[in-house]
């Protein structure tokens, strides 16, 4: 059997069919989401020293039933229905188990899309704790060339909380939109390489509404955040990730982040890592900013991020309040408003990092959903994660 035949037998398509114009489409995303570095230039962050990890089965949990808005189904059935590629569950810091789809080997890295925003915000929190990053400063304090753009009179806090009054739409599927130009600048779409990500970001204009009033989910804010932490620290994002997060976290596998023509990291959505390491980030946040007995990010920052900070009013004015009616958004993390105090990071195509402090459960779910955004499925996933966190 030839290599080509092996690939096609496993994935149902040929490797040559996965290109920049197809890599986010189904069924190609079942492979490309684990191999982004073959398609988009990427910077790599080495793992902490240590041995290889072994998969642990979820056993009988897969056959247990969960109650969802549309009825009950088994855990495994829902994982398959929601196009899950990999899942890891931790309970009180200990591994409950893993689940992988046939096309995702255990230990493979997978793109986490917008959970990258949440990870980048952790870097901002670390730098804030070191006294070299001010969340209340104007953006222009760090990026003077932002003057004249939507960020010219915005604060870093506006950037962190998605309350920049930005004239920009997340038009994922429109090839003629400003969003498509944005993706070309990140080298995620064909035709890139003539405009850098930073140059594009500085062209976005603002709306008439004052900053700070409305939660507007706009990914460019989080790429601006990546530039902000680089300017404040004098270090590249990949270096910050290694020194400030990945090594202290005790991450077991290499991670990566896509970069543009100038090496600027796509901090809004370009990070890839294993489900285990993503779960480690959630556990660090559950532990108030510590990992392996070592403080990674200030406890006060974590508490503000996942429990006390953020504007309920700004969240209610946004378009995602249906998902968490009592929720808030702070430092690129979602507070669910649930009695459990659960919080999460979310990425398109079904990426979730869900933390339930009450049950001490962390769930990392990586997926290759066909649609970037599926509101009905998201509601089912929230119900599923909430139920699952009470079952382990």
């Amino acid at each position: 059997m030839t290599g080509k035949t092996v690939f096609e037998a496993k994935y149902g398509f040929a490797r040559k069919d996965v290109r920049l114009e197809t890599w986010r489409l189904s069924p190609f995303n079942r492979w490309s989401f684990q191999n982004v570095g073959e398609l988009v230039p990427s910077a790599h962050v080495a793992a902490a020293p240590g041995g290889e990890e072994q998969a642990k089965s979820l056993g009988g949990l897969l056959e247990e039933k969960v109650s969802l808005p549309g009825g009950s189904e088994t855990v495994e059935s829902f994982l398959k229905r929601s196009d899950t590629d990999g899942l890891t569950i931790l309970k009180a810091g200990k591994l409950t188990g893993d689940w992988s789809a046939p096309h995702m080997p255990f230990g493979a890295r997978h793109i986490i899309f917008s959970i990258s925003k949440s990870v980048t915000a952790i870097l901002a929190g670390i730098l804030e704790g070191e006294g070299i990053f001010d969340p209340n400063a104007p953006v222009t304090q760090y990026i003077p060339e932002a003057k004249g753009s939507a960020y010219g009179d915005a604060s870093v806090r506006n950037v962190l909380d998605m309350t920049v009054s930005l004239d920009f739409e997340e038009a994922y599927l429109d090839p003629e939109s400003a969003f498509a130009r944005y993706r070309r600048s990140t080298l995620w779409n064909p035709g890139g390489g003539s405009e850098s990500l930073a140059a594009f970001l500085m062209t976005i204009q603002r709306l008439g509404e004052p900053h700070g009033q409305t939660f507007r989910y706009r990914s460019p804010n989080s790429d601006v955040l990546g530039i902000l932490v680089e300017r404040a620290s004098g270090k590249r994002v990949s270096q910050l990730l290694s020194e400030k997060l990945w090594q202290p976290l005790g991450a077991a596998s290499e991670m990566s982040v896509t970069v543009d023509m100038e090496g600027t990291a796509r901090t809004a959505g370009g990070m890839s890592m294993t489900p285990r390491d993503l779960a480690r980030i959630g556990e660090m946040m559950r532990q108030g900013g510590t990992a392996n007995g070592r403080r990674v990010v200030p406890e006060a920052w974590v508490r503000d991020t996942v429990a006390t900070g953020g504007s309920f009013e700004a969240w209610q004015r946004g378009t995602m309040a249906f998902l968490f009616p009592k929720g808030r958004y702070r430092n690129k993390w979602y507070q669910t408003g649930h009695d459990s105090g659960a919080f999460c990071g979310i990425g398109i195509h079904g990426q979730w990092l869900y933390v339930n402090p009450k049950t001490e459960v962390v769930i990392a779910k990586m997926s290759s959903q066909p649609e970037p955004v599926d509101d009905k499925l998201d509601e089912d996933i929230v119900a599923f994660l909430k139920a699952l966190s009470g079952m382990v």
Side-chain angles (χ1 to χ4, degrees):
M1 183 177 285
T2 67
K4 178 181 178 182
T5 305
V6 168
F7 188 100
E8 290 182 343
K10 184 171 185 177
Y11 297 103
F13 50 84
R15 168 63 185 88
K16 65 181 177 61
D17 294 330
V18 190
R19 304 180 299 275
L20 275 183
E21 60 264 39
T22 63
W23 73 275
R24 294 186 306 275
L25 302 177
S26 180
F28 310 113
N29 58 359
R30 292 202 305 265
W31 178 83
S32 63
F33 285 3
Q34 299 168 51
N35 296 278
V36 177
E38 285 198 25
L39 300 153
V40 184
S42 301
H44 297 267
V45 178
E52 285 191 13
E53 297 186 296
Q54 300 298 317
K56 180 181 179 182
S57 171
L58 288 173
L61 181 64
L62 292 171
E63 300 309 314
E64 293 190 27
K65 289 195 173 183
V66 289
S67 295
L68 301 176
S72 66
E73 59 187 298
T74 66
V75 170
E76 186 168 30
S77 172
F78 184 78
L79 292 176
K80 292 177 179 178
R81 179 165 73 85
S82 58
D83 294 286
T84 306
D85 296 326
L87 182 90
T88 290
I89 304 175
L90 304 179
K91 169 79 171 183
K94 296 182 179 180
L95 178 65
T96 297
D98 312 284
W99 185 89
S100 294
H103 56 266
M104 182 165 170
F106 174 77
R109 293 194 304 274
H110 190 291
I111 191 167
I112 60 172
F113 285 110
S114 289
I115 305 177
S116 305
K117 298 174 170 67
S118 309
V119 176
T120 304
I122 291 172
L123 296 181
I126 293 168
L127 296 180
E128 179 185 341
E130 294 177 354
I132 62 174
F133 188 71
D134 181 2
N136 298 310
V139 170
T140 52
Q141 177 174 313
Y142 300 103
I143 311 175
E145 64 269 33
K147 184 179 180 180
S149 75
Y151 300 100
D153 60 349
S155 68
V156 175
R157 170 55 59 204
N158 298 145
V159 171
L160 284 162
D161 292 353
M162 293 282 199
T163 57
V164 179
S165 187
L166 203 64
D167 187 11
F168 185 85
E169 296 296 328
E170 299 272 307
Y172 298 110
L173 302 177
D174 183 354
E176 303 303 323
S177 66
F179 195 84
R181 177 183 160 201
Y182 168 46
R183 277 186 163 162
R184 287 195 295 273
S185 76
T186 68
L187 303 182
W188 278 34
N189 278 18
S194 61
E195 180 180 41
S196 71
L197 175 57
F200 170 77
L201 294 171
M202 296 304 103
T203 68
I204 306 176
Q205 296 302 300
R206 57 164 298 160
L207 298 169
E209 180 184 291
H211 299 304
Q213 290 191 0
T214 301
F215 168 80
R216 287 187 173 87
Y217 188 92
R218 303 293 185 265
S219 289
N221 291 328
S222 302
D223 289 311
V224 168
L225 180 61
I227 297 171
L228 285 166
V229 297
E230 287 195 338
R231 296 288 179 89
S233 65
K235 298 179 179 180
R236 297 181 68 208
V237 162
S238 56
Q239 185 179 357
L240 289 170
L241 285 166
S242 177
E243 295 175 2
K244 307 294 186 183
L245 180 60
W246 219 235
Q247 300 298 323
L249 189 68
S253 300
E254 180 185 87
M255 70 161 293
S256 63
V257 57
T258 69
V259 295
D260 78 339
M261 59 189 282
E262 297 177 339
T264 300
R266 180 80 206 282
T267 47
M271 296 182 189
S272 293
M273 61 187 66
T274 66
R276 284 271 186 96
D277 284 334
L278 181 59
R280 285 185 173 95
I281 293 174
E283 178 63 14
M284 182 271 291
M285 293 291 285
R286 188 187 74 83
Q287 294 280 20
T290 63
N292 306 310
R294 174 180 177 180
R295 177 144 304 280
V296 178
V297 62
E299 182 179 10
W301 183 88
V302 175
R303 184 169 60 251
D304 174 68
T305 299
V306 307
T308 61
S311 168
F312 175 75
E313 292 75 21
W315 174 256
Q316 287 295 312
R317 293 188 192 103
T319 60
M320 294 182 65
F322 75 93
L323 195 59
F324 303 123
K326 297 181 180 179
R328 286 181 291 183
Y329 188 84
R330 184 69 156 183
N331 292 329
K332 312 293 182 187
W333 289 79
Y334 297 85
Q335 299 171 24
T336 65
H338 298 166
D339 292 341
S340 64
F343 57 92
C344 55
I346 308 173
I348 57 171
H349 294 282
Q351 322 315 316
W352 290 79
L353 176 57
Y354 181 88
V355 183
N356 186 324
K358 187 174 182 179
T359 61
E360 301 182 301
V361 168
V362 174
I363 304 172
K365 182 182 188 297
M366 297 177 172
S367 313
S368 52
Q369 291 171 198
E371 298 297 326
V373 177
D374 186 330
D375 291 346
K376 176 63 175 67
L377 183 55
D378 282 346
E379 290 179 308
D380 284 350
I381 291 172
V382 170
F384 172 78
L385 295 172
K386 184 178 181 180
L388 186 60
S389 67
M391 294 166 58
V392 297

